[in-house]
Amino acid sequence: MSKTCLECGDKIIGREDKKFCNDACRNTYNNKINKDTTNLMRNIHNQLRKNYRILTETNTEGKTTISKSRLLSLGFDFNLFTSIYTTKTNNIYYFVYDQGYRLLDNDWYVLVQKK
């Protein structure tokens, strides 16, 4: 029983578990499957990446404080994050992947990193 390439339909020669005839077909297929389907999704992903980059660049020590105005000047969007963590003392941390922030007093934030 011969297998055919998932992208172009050509006959596959080689390993039994191979799904594509070459790297170009594999890349084309995966790009079609994984492409963001709407501008909204693409824009959200881009801003999440930007938020993550800002947090990692400003929090080099693993824990630091920063003003809200500084984060905003760097282009940080407080509306986009990946998870929320509430401590036993009801402190709320907002995380962008493993980088988190929590509001302190007077528009200052503490930045933390999950380990």
Side-chain angles (χ1 to χ4, degrees):
M1 184 168 117
S2 67
K3 291 182 72 175
T4 58
C5 176
L6 293 177
E7 177 59 26
C8 68
D10 285 352
K11 183 179 175 184
I12 296 177
I13 299 171
R15 290 190 338 253
E16 187 177 309
D17 62 341
K18 205 170 170 185
K19 296 179 183 179
F20 304 99
C21 60
N22 59 41
D23 286 339
C25 279
R26 179 180 49 83
N27 288 333
T28 302
Y29 180 85
N30 286 325
N31 286 339
K32 283 182 196 175
I33 297 296
N34 296 324
K35 86 173 190 181
D36 294 335
T37 56
T38 65
N39 284 336
L40 174 65
M41 287 175 58
R42 190 173 12 268
N43 293 338
I44 290 171
H45 288 299
N46 288 338
Q47 186 60 50
L48 282 171
R49 278 193 293 273
K50 185 175 185 178
N51 280 359
Y52 184 79
R53 188 176 60 252
I54 291 167
L55 291 174
T56 55
E57 289 173 358
T58 55
N59 184 19
T60 57
E61 302 297 318
K63 186 175 184 180
T64 190
T65 57
I66 191 169
S67 68
K68 181 177 184 177
S69 60
R70 176 74 178 129
L71 286 171
L72 288 173
S73 72
L74 293 170
F76 192 82
D77 184 347
F78 287 93
N79 294 314
L80 294 176
F81 47 86
T82 57
S83 64
I84 299 174
Y85 175 72
T86 305
T87 65
K88 292 177 184 176
T89 57
N90 287 327
N91 291 324
I92 299 173
Y93 287 86
Y94 298 91
F95 278 89
V96 180
Y97 305 110
D98 67 333
Q99 299 290 324
Y101 59 94
R102 178 176 70 89
L103 177 63
L104 298 174
D105 297 328
N106 300 323
D107 284 341
W108 280 85
Y109 285 84
V110 62
L111 305 182
V112 297
Q113 181 179 13
K114 265 189 214 174
K115 294 191 181 199

